[in-house]
């Protein structure tokens, strides 16, 4: 018998939740990660007493009580609500687009006035069925908001002209005719008190882990250790890129510690002008109502991905979707290997979704024993 029942490649939420469920049911797991820390992209690094979200700011939100109860077993959450501001040439606006924003733009006070204003702004454009992101956005919020808050921001985010971007990117653009700055509609929201690493530690209690090890550097050895493998890395890498590379959009983060207590008074400000090279500034302490004398801010720069950069957002165009399907067919033939998580499924998952997916996968296996 092998030493472990499951080898889990990747210590992100998918791997950690899966390992937790299996371990709880008596299966021995080893979790490995090529990074020098556990937790995958939810990892935060404590500096000056502030939890710095290393791979971009993470706000937990879900409507599913069972997922909320699941994470609350390990850590309590605070009452943080994500309500970013937009800065366009020094003017500040509330996000997501709601009555506050409409009031700031047009001095309208009622939903009826706001709707009439938007209608008036697009009446000459004759958009019946939006055929790209620009038309989609225009028909939702009108010309003024589109030009100041959406166009430049989206173009730098995706490195492409808004007319060349598909309309579905913005389908879920939250627009509200209420005075409500809460970005997410979900019933349960917050940031773990003490940081996301507490969630990771709770999930991995009593589970063996190894850091700084790349599965592919020593695949035979790791396969020998366990009966089954759960793989949460990039699916194309698993097959040695033999059908080609799946593309991503990447990000670069620039952080600085400032000798002041409070830099911008809020966790996130989006910079919506195209020629400001970053898309937002994050001030980490505000996620946890930090009171210390210093602060840490991070500028987020979108960038083209290449194989030496972190893959962040999958590109859901036809070319990449059809390449992913080919890899998926190969993955389905690997009987001893379970593929899961955002990289192995080439899919953008929010945290609550990837947790749900790992719970489902592990429960299906446990129920079939
Ligand atoms: P990951 O966390 O990426 O874990 C995969 C792990 O596998 C990594 O640690 C990697 O090092 C390891 N690995 C890969 N290959 C190998 C190998 N060969 N050998 C060993 N280890 C390997 N979600 C929200 O709900 N709210 C948010 O506000 C939010 N904000 C986000 C902001 C950004 C910028 C991004 C990119 C994502 C955000 N998310 C957010 C989504 C969230 O990050 C994901 O849902 C979650 O991290 C997915 O977990 P995972 O296990 O699938 O992947």
């Amino acid at each position: 018998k092998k030493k472990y029942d499951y080898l889990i490649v990747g210590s992100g939420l998918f791997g950690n939740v899966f390992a937790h469920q299996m371990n709880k049911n008596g299966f021995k797991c080893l979790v490995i990660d090529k990074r020098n820390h556990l937790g995958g992209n939810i990892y935060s690094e404590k500096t000056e007493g502030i939890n710095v979200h290393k791979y971009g700011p993470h706000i937990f939100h879900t409507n599913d009580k069972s997922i909320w109860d699941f994470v609350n077993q390990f850590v309590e959450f605070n009452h943080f609500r994500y309500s970013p501001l937009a800065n366009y040439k020094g003017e500040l606006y509330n996000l997501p687009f709601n009555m506050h924003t409409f009031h700031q733009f047009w001095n309208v006070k009622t939903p009826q006035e706001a709707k009439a204003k938007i209608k008036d702004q697009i009446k000459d454009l004759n958009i019946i069925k939006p055929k790209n992101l620009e038309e989609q956005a225009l028909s939702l919020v009108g010309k003024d908001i589109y030009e100041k808050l959406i166009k430049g921001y989206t173009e730098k985010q995706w490195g492409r002209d808004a007319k060349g971007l598909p309309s579905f990117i913005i389908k879920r653009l939250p627009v509200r005719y209420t005075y409500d700055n809460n970005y997410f509609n979900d019933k349960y929201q917050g940031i773990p008190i003490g940081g996301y690493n507490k969630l990771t530690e709770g999930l991995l209690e009593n589970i063996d882990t190894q850091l700084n090890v790349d599965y592919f550097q020593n695949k035979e050895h790791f396969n020998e250790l366990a009966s089954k493998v759960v793989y949460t890395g990039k699916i194309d890498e698993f097959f040695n890129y033999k059908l080609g590379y799946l593309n991503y959009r990447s990000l670069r983060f620039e952080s600085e510690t400032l000798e002041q207590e409070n830099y911008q008074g809020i966790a996130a400000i989006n910079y919506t002008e195209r020629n400001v090279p970053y898309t937002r500034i994050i001030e980490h302490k505000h996620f946890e109502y930090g009171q210390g004398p210093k602060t840490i801010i991070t500028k987020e720069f979108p960038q083209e991905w290449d194989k030496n950069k972190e893959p962040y957002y999958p590109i859901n165009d036809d070319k990449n979707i059809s390449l992913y399907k080919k890899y998926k067919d190969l993955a389905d033939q690997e009987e001893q290997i379970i593929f899961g998580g955002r990289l192995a499924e080439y899919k953008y998952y929010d945290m609550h979704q990837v947790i749900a997916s790992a719970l489902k996968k592990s429960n299906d296996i446990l129920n079939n024993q």
Side-chain angles (χ1 to χ4, degrees), residues 345-360:
E345 296 179 65
Y346 192 63
K347 178 174 176 175
Y348 181 84
Y349 270 127
D350 270 330
M351 291 181 277
H352 62 290
Q353 296 167 325
V354 87
I355 291 171
S357 154
L359 286 174
K360 178 164 187 332

Side-chain angles (χ1 to χ4, degrees), residues 10 13-14 33-34 41 57-59 214-215 342 348-349 351:
L13 268 178
F14 188 95
D33 205 293
K34 64 181 176 188
N41 279 3
H58 280 68
I59 299 97
D214 188 326
Y215 176 60
R342 66 182 193 100
Y348 181 84
Y349 270 127
M351 291 181 277

Side-chain angles (χ1 to χ4, degrees), residues 216 235-245 327:
F216 298 113
I235 190 167
D236 53 355
E237 186 175 13
F238 186 90
F239 296 105
N240 210 11
Y241 306 106
K242 68 179 172 192
L243 306 174
Y245 285 88
Y327 278 118

Side-chain angles (χ1 to χ4, degrees), residues 104-278:
Q104 289 151 353
F105 265 88
W106 306 309
N107 200 27
V108 295
K109 296 182 180 66
T110 67
Q112 292 71 22
E113 287 170 347
K115 281 182 185 161
K117 186 78 195 173
I118 291 172
K119 210 170 159 192
D120 184 53
Q121 291 221 330
I122 56 178
K123 69 173 189 301
D124 298 332
L125 301 172
N126 266 322
I127 302 166
I128 295 152
K129 192 169 176 288
K131 55 178 185 299
N132 55 37
L133 183 139
E134 178 162 303
E135 295 194 359
Q136 177 76 17
L138 279 167
S139 58
L140 286 170
V141 293
K143 182 167 73 26
D144 292 352
I145 295 187
Y146 172 69
E147 272 162 15
K148 287 190 174 181
L149 302 189
I150 299 180
K151 189 172 190 290
Y153 181 84
T154 316
E155 289 182 338
K156 61 188 172 183
Q157 183 124 23
W158 293 98
R160 279 156 74 185
D161 213 61
K163 286 198 180 79
L165 286 164
S167 58
F168 72 80
I169 294 187
I170 220 160
K171 239 184 206 122
R172 287 171 303 165
L173 185 75
V175 178
R176 291 199 194 105
Y177 292 93
T178 53
Y179 288 91
D180 179 4
N181 291 326
N182 183 352
Y183 198 87
F184 300 110
N185 289 314
D186 293 337
K187 195 150 36 162
Y188 309 103
Q189 304 179 28
I191 302 288
I193 296 174
Y196 281 95
N197 297 352
K198 286 210 164 165
L199 175 58
T200 300
E201 284 157 24
L203 286 166
L204 292 177
E205 198 180 336
N206 299 320
I207 294 173
D208 290 350
T209 59
Q210 280 183 37
L211 293 176
N212 304 305
V213 287
D214 188 326
Y215 176 60
F216 298 113
Q217 300 291 314
N218 220 338
K219 199 170 164 187
E220 308 304 309
H221 159 74
F222 285 117
N223 288 346
E224 274 309 304
L225 290 178
S227 316
K228 286 214 168 185
V229 175
V230 175
Y231 178 76
T232 75
K234 293 196 323 237
I235 190 167
D236 53 355
E237 186 175 13
F238 186 90
F239 296 105
N240 210 11
Y241 306 106
K242 68 179 172 192
L243 306 174
Y245 285 88
L246 287 166
N247 296 131
Y248 286 86
R249 192 79 185 138
S250 195
L251 297 169
R252 183 170 62 82
F253 299 105
E254 252 176 40
S255 297
E256 31 182 331
T257 302
L258 304 176
E259 304 290 322
Q260 68 187 88
E261 206 183 307
N262 189 354
Y263 172 74
Q264 62 185 16
I266 192 164
I269 300 187
N270 290 359
Y271 284 77
T272 58
E273 254 177 284
R274 174 123 198 201
N275 56 9
V276 173
Y278 42 88

Side-chain angles (χ1 to χ4, degrees), residues 41-55:
N41 279 3
I42 69 167
Y43 171 73
S44 59
E45 189 175 79
K46 204 163 204 136
T47 310
E48 303 288 350
I50 299 164
N51 286 312
V52 176
H53 298 213
K54 279 306 254 197
Y55 302 92

